[in-house]
Amino acid sequence: MPVPLPQGETVVILRPGARTRDSAGNYLPGPDREIPVPGCAAWPTGSTEQVEAQDQTKELFTVLAPYGTDIRATDRVRLYGRVFEVDGEPQSWKSPLTGTAPGIEIRLERTKG
């Protein structure tokens, strides 16, 4: 079982549930399953703004979740009341020398506009 940081944040993984079909027989993603993950470290890693021909901003965060957390590139994450997309594959950090496993690094991105 992953060991959370005692003073950490709780993030919520939003994972699509089982697919359903609409009245025309098309597949639709099922309702999100919410998976709380306590004890995470979270910090902002920047933002960008695109103003040429559009008004768009990007908000970036990095989260360090307890080692062994089941997080996928296709998930979304709710952090501080805002929903972010997972950007790329989450990365496990484990030292081959000491066996220390500080956690899973998750990069998050939220685009507005």
Side-chain angles (χ1 to χ4, degrees), residues 1-24:
M1 180 67 185
V3 177
L5 298 170
Q7 300 300 318
E9 302 289 336
T10 295
V11 302
V12 178
I13 297 171
L14 303 171
R15 183 168 296 154
R19 295 187 309 172
T20 60
R21 289 183 183 252
D22 65 12
S23 59

Side-chain angles (χ1 to χ4, degrees), residues 21 30 33 35-36 44 54-55 72 78 88 91 97 100 111:
R21 289 183 183 252
R33 289 184 331 177
I35 306 163
Q54 58 188 345
D55 190 12
R72 304 169 189 171
R78 186 171 35 234
Q91 302 293 308
L97 303 174
T100 303
T111 304

Side-chain angles (χ1 to χ4, degrees), residues 9-12 42 61 63 77-84 108:
E9 302 289 336
T10 295
V11 302
V12 178
F61 268 81
V63 170
V77 172
R78 186 171 35 234
L79 172 67
Y80 303 131
R82 300 184 299 265
V83 176
F84 294 82
L108 302 177

Side-chain angles (χ1 to χ4, degrees), residues 84-104:
F84 294 82
E85 300 289 330
V86 173
D87 184 21
E89 287 291 333
Q91 302 293 308
S92 296
W93 288 72
K94 185 173 182 180
S95 170
L97 303 174
T98 65
T100 303
I104 308 282

Side-chain angles (χ1 to χ4, degrees), residues 58-69:
K58 234 181 235 188
E59 185 178 11
L60 307 169
F61 268 81
T62 299
V63 170
L64 186 64
Y67 190 81
T69 298

Side-chain angles (χ1 to χ4, degrees), residues 50-56:
Q50 175 72 288
V51 293
E52 293 180 21
Q54 58 188 345
D55 190 12
Q56 185 180 65

